[in-house]
Amino acid sequence: MASSGEKGASSSTNCRSRKSFISAASTFFEENVDGHAASTPWTKIAYIIIAYFLGAGVLSLPFAASQLGYLLFGVALVLVYLASLLSARAYAACYEAHPVSRALSDVAKEAYGKRAETGTRILAYVFMTLVCVILHLTCSISLEHVAPGGCAVFYSLAVAVAIVLLLQVRDMSEIGTLSIIGVITILGVVGIIVIALPVRGGSGGGESFFVPQTHTTLLLMAIGFMDVVFSFAGQVIYIELLSEMEKPEDFKKAVFTSNTVMLCCYAVVGCLGYHIVGAKDLKSGEPVTSGVASRGSPLDRIVNALLFVHVIIAYLIEANVVARGFLLIAGKDAHTASQALWTTTTALLVGFAFLISNLVPFFSAVVAFVSAFAATLVCWCLPCLFALKLDRDCAVRLGRWEKVAMKVLIPITIVISVVGTAAAIMEMVKQGSDNAFSFCTS
């Protein structure tokens, strides 16, 4: 291990020699162009984790509960929660071994070399690009409820035009000031769900403690489980969070606090949605906000307007990050790139999200696909793989049971990724066949 002086020199050189990977977490910090100053307490890190994780993922959990039943849904939540804590330990170990890191790709280079760095960076950006698809679809669905009666593809086009125009503001510090609004609005959405669902009532159907006997299949159960996984997916920002901490050793406090809060929130929203709305009404897989109140009612418009504001802000931040990342991979700097290049990059990114979200406008299935195809690998598999390699190289010291748990999680993650991806694709094909890809439905 290098001395503190060597680490400081290395960090200074590193900041001058390259542009660091920029994540959505960067928007919560003040930029320091002259050097890197880590001064964020663990309490604020916990808040950032909740703000980043708690979003579109929570909206699909009533559907997940309706497919798994209360018992399996609870078991899935706890298992994914534990996997999330283990993943956080792996990220922390990676940062401990290479404390000048600013992204998981930096750790990949330290563990396995340049090719691993490139592959990890690409996979991370693919994951975030697919998250943009989910955000685009969520914006479109919520907009349909705010102003019902139009064609679904036109709502999606309106979202695309708005987000491309907003993305022309490149300054992440300016965009980051909107983050607090995003946090307030999603908390408002969750609050309305918890209060309004018991008042609204529904067809019921949340009667299955064990596996539901109706309105479910093994395929839909797999989709439900992947939706649970996605609700805890977001660890891609952990390395940068660690680099911003005043005391990185307190990261475990931030992770435990934030993940426990999310676990409780997810359990309440998932079980309440299943109990009140019922499996029959949830089978469509739409966000639970679509069933909070009768379509077109004032409450329906309000809750979806709040959701729209939250998701459009998240979309703006995520797309800004991804656009910068793809320019970085191409050897360009987002700060100095021409306006034409920036506009083209952002338009292509949003165009991709528009196209995919209209080809497969099935919320829960799309969430499951993103979760299985990319989130499990970026958030669980790779950090554990890198941490174990760095432990073997004596760059970090893992506990015996930590190593055992990570070695068990890696193959499980790969199986979940393969099976979950196949299940999501099969469900999207099935839903596409059943709905004949008819976009203009009100």
Side-chain angles (χ1 to χ4, degrees), residues 145-158:
H145 284 262
V146 173
C151 176
V153 72
F154 291 158
Y155 291 115
S156 184
L157 182 60

Side-chain angles (χ1 to χ4, degrees), residues 173-333:
S173 62
E174 291 185 19
I175 295 173
T177 59
L178 297 174
S179 299
I180 186 63
I181 300 176
V183 174
I184 293 172
T185 50
I186 192 60
L187 291 177
V189 169
V190 172
I192 291 175
I193 290 172
V194 171
I195 295 172
L197 278 180
V199 176
R200 170 198 180 274
S203 64
E207 76 288 345
S208 299
F209 184 78
F210 297 104
V211 179
Q213 300 302 309
T214 58
H215 309 298
T216 191
T217 62
L218 285 176
L219 189 61
L220 290 175
M221 290 176 67
I223 299 297
F225 176 76
M226 295 314 306
D227 286 352
V228 173
V229 172
F230 183 80
S231 68
F232 280 95
Q235 289 88 342
V236 68
I237 69 171
Y238 275 1
I239 294 294
E240 181 147 355
L241 292 182
L242 279 157
S243 71
E244 299 289 349
M245 288 194 71
E246 181 180 16
K247 297 179 179 179
E249 62 270 20
D250 286 341
F251 183 64
K252 59 185 177 182
K253 297 179 184 178
V255 169
F256 179 79
T257 301
S258 57
N259 278 253
T260 302
V261 169
M262 290 188 293
L263 174 67
C264 296
C265 178
Y266 293 160
V268 170
V269 173
C271 292
L272 186 64
Y274 175 37
H275 179 73
I276 300 297
V277 179
K280 181 179 179 180
D281 291 346
L282 288 168
K283 192 175 181 180
S284 66
E286 284 200 351
V288 68
T289 46
S290 299
V292 167
S294 58
R295 193 178 183 91
S297 67
L299 183 58
D300 181 52
R301 293 173 188 264
I302 291 171
V303 70
N304 280 281
L306 289 173
L307 176 62
F308 179 81
V309 172
H310 167 77
V311 178
I312 201 76
I313 291 173
Y315 191 1
L316 177 61
I317 294 173
E318 195 86 6
N320 193 302
V321 171
V322 175
R324 288 166 178 265
F326 283 130
L327 287 175
L328 182 62
I329 290 174
K332 303 290 185 179
D333 183 354

Side-chain angles (χ1 to χ4, degrees), residues 18 105-122 328-329:
R18 67 173 175 80
S105 56
D106 296 332
V107 177
K109 181 178 181 180
E110 179 73 9
Y112 287 103
K114 182 66 177 177
R115 290 184 179 179
E117 177 193 25
T118 302
T120 301
R121 179 170 290 161
I122 291 173
L328 182 62
I329 290 174

Side-chain angles (χ1 to χ4, degrees), residues 32-67:
N32 186 343
V33 296
D34 297 322
H36 177 63
S39 59
T40 309
W42 74 265
T43 49
K44 186 175 181 181
I45 294 295
Y47 157 76
I48 293 171
I49 293 173
I50 293 172
Y52 188 74
F53 281 56
L54 187 62
V58 70
L59 305 178
S60 63
L61 292 181
F63 166 80
S66 73
Q67 299 306 313

Side-chain angles (χ1 to χ4, degrees), residues 76-141:
L77 272 179
V78 172
L79 289 178
V80 174
Y81 165 77
L82 293 175
S84 181
L85 295 182
L86 181 63
S87 169
R89 171 58 186 137
Y91 270 97
C94 289
Y95 181 76
E96 181 184 342
H98 195 238
V100 296
S101 299
R102 296 283 287 172
L104 186 61
S105 56
D106 296 332
V107 177
K109 181 178 181 180
E110 179 73 9
Y112 287 103
K114 182 66 177 177
R115 290 184 179 179
E117 177 193 25
T118 302
T120 301
R121 179 170 290 161
I122 291 173
L123 183 59
Y125 283 124
V126 166
F127 168 54
M128 289 188 285
T129 300
L130 293 174
V131 170
C132 287
V133 174
I134 295 175
L135 297 174
H136 194 108
L137 178 57
T138 309
C139 279
S140 303
I141 293 173

Side-chain angles (χ1 to χ4, degrees), residues 23 72 169 200 212 222 231 236 257 287 322 334 383 388-389 414 418 431:
S23 77
L72 289 182
V169 180
R200 170 198 180 274
S231 68
V236 68
T257 301
V322 175
L388 290 170
K389 175 62 165 60
I414 294 172
V418 173
Q431 290 195 37

